[in-house]
Amino acid sequence: MTSEEFVAAIAALCSRDLPAEQGTTDVVGMGGPGYFMAESAGGDGPCAGDGCQRAETAAQFMEERDDIARLLTLLWGVGEHLGTQTIRLRPAMYDEVIPEPWLSFSQRVDDMYLWEVKERRRWVAVGIADRDEADEVKLLAVVTDIDPP
């Protein structure tokens, strides 16, 4: 999927009614109560290749993520670039409950670009899912009406 196709998928998800239940979508990825989570095709497969190849793949996905962020900025203005470590740590440190999709998104990505799409009452986040070395490196996007923690 090209950057333009991924942005089109995000925009399509942003204009849809959000699901009430967990399941897959006909656009790309899956959804849950109040959110969609879209994934690009992965790179290198689970556990495939050496660490250097994985790092190269992650770098390629970073370039694509930045291209997607540039295209989304043309649609919705400048987004924020945020780390996700504090979201991952808050449940253990403060007994805080982090709502989905933010909990699983933060467990898969180290940082994200985030936009508030006010006219649609949505939040859109894009990141690179590369934290789990047993899984493929992927681009990951969230479309939700659930405020980020």
Side-chain angles (χ1 to χ4, degrees):
M1 179 180 302
T2 67
S3 297
E4 291 81 6
E5 291 168 333
F6 200 63
V7 167
I10 291 168
L13 291 174
C14 204
S15 66
R16 288 181 161 205
D17 290 335
L18 295 167
E21 297 179 12
Q22 195 80 15
T24 59
T25 71
D26 59 340
V27 177
V28 60
M30 48 108 28
Y35 70 90
F36 290 111
M37 192 174 296
E39 296 181 352
S40 70
D44 290 336
C47 303
D50 62 25
C52 292
Q53 180 61 42
R54 185 174 175 82
E56 280 182 33
T57 300
Q60 291 169 352
F61 274 88
M62 281 185 203
E63 288 178 21
E64 190 170 345
R65 179 208 55 197
D66 292 347
D67 190 42
I68 289 166
R70 182 186 58 77
L71 294 170
L72 291 175
T73 296
L74 294 174
L75 286 176
W76 299 315
V78 177
E80 294 182 68
H81 187 214
L82 304 166
T84 61
Q85 183 176 16
T86 57
I87 297 171
R88 288 190 302 275
L89 294 175
R90 283 166 38 190
M93 292 177 65
Y94 306 111
D95 238 5
E96 183 176 352
V97 175
I98 303 294
E100 290 296 345
W102 300 111
L103 179 63
S104 56
F105 186 74
S106 70
Q107 291 170 342
R108 297 180 67 190
V109 305
D110 279 324
D111 61 353
M112 65 177 157
Y113 285 97
L114 178 69
W115 292 266
E116 184 178 9
V117 185
K118 291 181 182 180
E119 64 273 8
R120 301 296 306 164
R121 295 188 195 131
R122 301 281 194 268
W123 290 94
V124 174
V126 177
I128 301 168
D130 67 344
R131 291 185 42 77
D132 183 354
E133 291 188 21
D135 198 5
E136 296 176 293
V137 177
K138 298 176 183 176
L139 283 169
L140 194 61
V142 166
V143 175
T144 184
D145 63 357
I146 301 164
D147 291 341

